[in-house]
Amino acid sequence: MSMHLTVITGASRGLGRAMAAQRLHEGHHVLTIARHPDATLAAPAGAVLEQWAADLAQPLAVAQRLEAWLGTLDGARFASAALVNNAALLTPPGPIGATPAEALSAAMRVGLEAPVLLAQAFLRATAAWPGARKLLNISSGLGRFAMAGSAPYCAVKAGLDHFSRALALDEALNAHGAKVVSLAPGVIDTDMQVQLRSADAAVFTERERFAQLHARGQLDSPAAAAAKVLACLDRADFGAQPVADVRDA
């Protein structure tokens, strides 16, 4: 068992892409899942990169494909296997009454339904693998503290947190259960931040707060945030706290 397997959703940009690039640099076998795979990602010698173009707003087919694909691999080759549920879809900041129902449905599917189905697929397919198994759900402080104008995102992240708590209890009952963590990664300079600080202040009262975070240089770069998140994933005590914040690590 010399190889490590890492599956990352939402890996075409931002935090997800940075995590994929760093894992490839470390020699992992990396599978990325995103609507538009990044053609600039490359695997150095000793690493393996596979990229799927998939819409996580239709998560059942993606989960089925993941379970089937994992079933083709020799689990004995991997010292560890990790699923990182990173993908999320932000609806326009503001009250949900102004959000098209289709956009709201897609955000809930990508942010919560997809991680649940992918977790199920990952856990079932790797149940007999001898190496360490880890499930990392990328959460947010907004899953723990409500904010006006962000109800769908708050709901998704709160759901991920509580799903992770319950799933961790289930896995603890298994002799070779996976370790599960829902991790808030800090405040990162991504497209989501651009959307928040560019929103209409009349419908998103927190706009100035996010503009000031950027102006004061208080946002982590995706690469810096990825390094912190992966350091948490690699900790020997990963899973000891199923709901965590990278800033407390």
Side-chain angles (χ1 to χ4, degrees), residues 23 134 136 181 183-185 225-240 244-249:
R23 279 311 196 214
K134 299 181 179 182
L136 174 60
V181 173
L183 182 70
K228 294 176 183 179
V229 169
L230 294 177
C232 290
L233 181 61
D234 290 339
R235 287 174 59 119
D237 64 349
F238 178 85
D245 191 305
V246 72
R247 289 161 288 196
D248 297 332

Tab-separated table of all heavy atoms in Angstrom, residues 23 134 136 181 183-185 225-240 244-249:
chain	number	residue	atom	x	y	z
A	23	ARG	N	-2.394	17.826	-3.762
A	23	ARG	CA	-2.381	16.367	-3.625
A	23	ARG	C	-1.613	15.719	-4.782
A	23	ARG	O	-0.888	14.736	-4.585
A	23	ARG	CB	-3.805	15.826	-3.565
A	23	ARG	CG	-4.467	15.924	-2.191
A	23	ARG	CD	-3.568	15.389	-1.121
A	23	ARG	NE	-4.246	15.104	0.124
A	23	ARG	CZ	-3.701	15.242	1.328
A	23	ARG	NH1	-2.460	15.706	1.437
A	23	ARG	NH2	-4.354	14.935	2.428
A	134	LYS	N	-11.266	8.285	4.873
A	134	LYS	CA	-11.620	9.583	5.442
A	134	LYS	C	-12.646	10.289	4.558
A	134	LYS	O	-12.540	10.259	3.324
A	134	LYS	CB	-10.370	10.469	5.587
A	134	LYS	CG	-9.313	9.889	6.517
A	134	LYS	CD	-8.111	10.810	6.635
A	134	LYS	CE	-7.053	10.250	7.582
A	134	LYS	NZ	-5.905	11.169	7.726
A	136	LEU	N	-14.238	14.089	4.188
A	136	LEU	CA	-14.120	15.495	4.579
A	136	LEU	C	-15.185	16.306	3.842
A	136	LEU	O	-15.171	16.387	2.615
A	136	LEU	CB	-12.728	16.028	4.236
A	136	LEU	CG	-12.494	17.525	4.465
A	136	LEU	CD1	-12.699	17.890	5.931
A	136	LEU	CD2	-11.088	17.931	4.012
A	181	VAL	N	-15.356	14.324	9.052
A	181	VAL	CA	-15.252	15.690	9.575
A	181	VAL	C	-15.942	16.661	8.622
A	181	VAL	O	-15.785	16.566	7.402
A	181	VAL	CB	-13.774	16.118	9.760
A	181	VAL	CG1	-13.698	17.599	10.142
A	181	VAL	CG2	-13.088	15.267	10.821
A	183	LEU	N	-15.663	20.495	7.997
A	183	LEU	CA	-14.641	21.488	8.343
A	183	LEU	C	-14.925	22.846	7.717
A	183	LEU	O	-15.077	22.957	6.494
A	183	LEU	CB	-13.270	20.991	7.870
A	183	LEU	CG	-12.069	21.878	8.183
A	183	LEU	CD1	-11.768	21.862	9.689
A	183	LEU	CD2	-10.846	21.410	7.391
A	184	ALA	N	-14.974	23.877	8.544
A	184	ALA	CA	-15.035	25.244	8.038
A	184	ALA	C	-13.616	25.664	7.662
A	184	ALA	O	-12.714	25.593	8.499
A	184	ALA	CB	-15.610	26.181	9.096
A	185	PRO	N	-13.393	26.088	6.403
A	185	PRO	CA	-12.020	26.318	5.941
A	185	PRO	C	-11.494	27.727	6.114
A	185	PRO	O	-10.415	28.044	5.630
A	185	PRO	CB	-12.133	25.981	4.449
A	185	PRO	CG	-13.520	26.449	4.094
A	185	PRO	CD	-14.369	26.167	5.308
A	225	ALA	N	-5.341	28.360	1.906
A	225	ALA	CA	-6.459	27.673	2.562
A	225	ALA	C	-6.383	26.170	2.317
A	225	ALA	O	-6.637	25.367	3.222
A	225	ALA	CB	-7.784	28.227	2.052
A	226	ALA	N	-6.029	25.770	1.101
A	226	ALA	CA	-5.928	24.347	0.781
A	226	ALA	C	-4.876	23.670	1.653
A	226	ALA	O	-5.082	22.547	2.137
A	226	ALA	CB	-5.583	24.165	-0.693
A	227	ALA	N	-3.758	24.330	1.860
A	227	ALA	CA	-2.702	23.747	2.693
A	227	ALA	C	-3.199	23.529	4.119
A	227	ALA	O	-2.907	22.495	4.744
A	227	ALA	CB	-1.470	24.662	2.690
A	228	LYS	N	-3.972	24.467	4.644
A	228	LYS	CA	-4.515	24.326	5.996
A	228	LYS	C	-5.531	23.191	6.071
A	228	LYS	O	-5.539	22.393	7.013
A	228	LYS	CB	-5.157	25.642	6.438
A	228	LYS	CG	-4.190	26.796	6.614
A	228	LYS	CD	-4.925	28.079	6.968
A	228	LYS	CE	-3.990	29.269	7.071
A	228	LYS	NZ	-4.700	30.527	7.390
A	229	VAL	N	-6.407	23.123	5.075
A	229	VAL	CA	-7.435	22.078	5.057
A	229	VAL	C	-6.796	20.695	4.954
A	229	VAL	O	-7.165	19.758	5.677
A	229	VAL	CB	-8.422	22.311	3.903
A	229	VAL	CG1	-9.330	21.096	3.692
A	229	VAL	CG2	-9.271	23.558	4.169
A	230	LEU	N	-5.829	20.553	4.060
A	230	LEU	CA	-5.182	19.251	3.887
A	230	LEU	C	-4.348	18.867	5.103
A	230	LEU	O	-4.221	17.675	5.419
A	230	LEU	CB	-4.331	19.261	2.618
A	230	LEU	CG	-5.129	19.391	1.317
A	230	LEU	CD1	-4.190	19.467	0.121
A	230	LEU	CD2	-6.114	18.246	1.151
A	231	ALA	N	-3.798	19.849	5.800
A	231	ALA	CA	-3.082	19.546	7.039
A	231	ALA	C	-4.041	18.960	8.071
A	231	ALA	O	-3.684	18.031	8.815
A	231	ALA	CB	-2.413	20.804	7.583
A	232	CYS	N	-5.265	19.473	8.105
A	232	CYS	CA	-6.280	18.904	9.006
A	232	CYS	C	-6.641	17.489	8.576
A	232	CYS	O	-6.779	16.588	9.416
A	232	CYS	CB	-7.525	19.785	9.007
A	232	CYS	SG	-7.316	21.381	9.824
A	233	LEU	N	-6.790	17.279	7.279
A	233	LEU	CA	-7.131	15.957	6.765
A	233	LEU	C	-6.047	14.937	7.099
A	233	LEU	O	-6.343	13.761	7.335
A	233	LEU	CB	-7.341	16.038	5.253
A	233	LEU	CG	-7.727	14.757	4.516
A	233	LEU	CD1	-9.050	14.196	5.032
A	233	LEU	CD2	-7.807	15.021	3.009
A	234	ASP	N	-4.802	15.374	7.140
A	234	ASP	CA	-3.674	14.476	7.384
A	234	ASP	C	-3.371	14.250	8.860
A	234	ASP	O	-2.510	13.422	9.193
A	234	ASP	CB	-2.415	15.034	6.703
A	234	ASP	CG	-2.496	14.955	5.188
A	234	ASP	OD1	-3.293	14.151	4.675
A	234	ASP	OD2	-1.762	15.713	4.522
A	235	ARG	N	-4.054	14.956	9.733
A	235	ARG	CA	-3.776	14.809	11.164
A	235	ARG	C	-4.075	13.395	11.646
A	235	ARG	O	-5.042	12.761	11.199
A	235	ARG	CB	-4.619	15.797	11.975
A	235	ARG	CG	-4.157	17.239	11.868
A	235	ARG	CD	-5.126	18.161	12.574
A	235	ARG	NE	-5.259	17.813	13.989
A	235	ARG	CZ	-4.958	18.638	14.999
A	235	ARG	NH1	-4.495	19.842	14.732
A	235	ARG	NH2	-5.131	18.266	16.239
A	236	ALA	N	-3.279	12.926	12.580
A	236	ALA	CA	-3.491	11.591	13.145
A	236	ALA	C	-4.824	11.498	13.878
A	236	ALA	O	-5.426	10.422	13.955
A	236	ALA	CB	-2.342	11.231	14.086
A	237	ASP	N	-5.298	12.629	14.416
A	237	ASP	CA	-6.557	12.623	15.154
A	237	ASP	C	-7.728	13.121	14.309
A	237	ASP	O	-8.760	13.542	14.852
A	237	ASP	CB	-6.437	13.442	16.434
A	237	ASP	CG	-6.172	14.929	16.172
A	237	ASP	OD1	-5.870	15.293	15.003
A	237	ASP	OD2	-6.256	15.719	17.129
A	238	PHE	N	-7.595	13.080	12.981
A	238	PHE	CA	-8.698	13.469	12.109
A	238	PHE	C	-9.929	12.640	12.474
A	238	PHE	O	-9.856	11.415	12.582
A	238	PHE	CB	-8.326	13.223	10.639
A	238	PHE	CG	-9.423	13.559	9.668
A	238	PHE	CD1	-9.593	14.855	9.208
A	238	PHE	CD2	-10.296	12.575	9.206
A	238	PHE	CE1	-10.600	15.168	8.308
A	238	PHE	CE2	-11.306	12.872	8.313
A	238	PHE	CZ	-11.462	14.172	7.865
A	239	GLY	N	-11.047	13.314	12.665
A	239	GLY	CA	-12.274	12.633	13.043
A	239	GLY	C	-12.593	12.718	14.515
A	239	GLY	O	-13.703	12.369	14.924
A	240	ALA	N	-11.644	13.157	15.326
A	240	ALA	CA	-11.908	13.271	16.757
A	240	ALA	C	-13.026	14.266	17.036
A	240	ALA	O	-13.806	14.091	17.967
A	240	ALA	CB	-10.633	13.683	17.498
A	244	ALA	N	-15.645	20.871	12.829
A	244	ALA	CA	-14.445	21.594	13.225
A	244	ALA	C	-14.251	22.829	12.357
A	244	ALA	O	-14.941	23.039	11.359
A	244	ALA	CB	-13.223	20.677	13.109
A	245	ASP	N	-13.303	23.649	12.784
A	245	ASP	CA	-12.949	24.874	12.051
A	245	ASP	C	-11.432	24.886	11.889
A	245	ASP	O	-10.705	24.645	12.853
A	245	ASP	CB	-13.408	26.104	12.846
A	245	ASP	CG	-13.309	27.386	12.042
A	245	ASP	OD1	-12.198	27.699	11.530
A	245	ASP	OD2	-14.318	28.119	11.943
A	246	VAL	N	-10.963	25.142	10.676
A	246	VAL	CA	-9.527	25.096	10.415
A	246	VAL	C	-8.773	26.104	11.281
A	246	VAL	O	-7.608	25.908	11.616
A	246	VAL	CB	-9.256	25.336	8.912
A	246	VAL	CG1	-9.494	26.789	8.526
A	246	VAL	CG2	-7.852	24.918	8.535
A	247	ARG	N	-9.447	27.151	11.676
A	247	ARG	CA	-8.802	28.184	12.499
A	247	ARG	C	-8.593	27.733	13.931
A	247	ARG	O	-7.826	28.358	14.671
A	247	ARG	CB	-9.637	29.470	12.454
A	247	ARG	CG	-9.566	30.160	11.089
A	247	ARG	CD	-10.700	31.120	10.883
A	247	ARG	NE	-11.965	30.427	10.676
A	247	ARG	CZ	-13.068	31.000	10.179
A	247	ARG	NH1	-13.024	32.280	9.829
A	247	ARG	NH2	-14.176	30.308	10.031
A	248	ASP	N	-9.251	26.654	14.337
A	248	ASP	CA	-9.069	26.124	15.686
A	248	ASP	C	-8.096	24.948	15.733
A	248	ASP	O	-7.803	24.419	16.793
A	248	ASP	CB	-10.417	25.643	16.249
A	248	ASP	CG	-11.408	26.783	16.376
A	248	ASP	OD1	-10.959	27.930	16.555
A	248	ASP	OD2	-12.630	26.525	16.294
A	249	ALA	N	-7.626	24.519	14.537
A	249	ALA	CA	-6.770	23.325	14.484
A	249	ALA	C	-5.417	23.609	15.124
A	249	ALA	O	-4.890	24.706	15.025
A	249	ALA	CB	-6.585	22.894	13.030
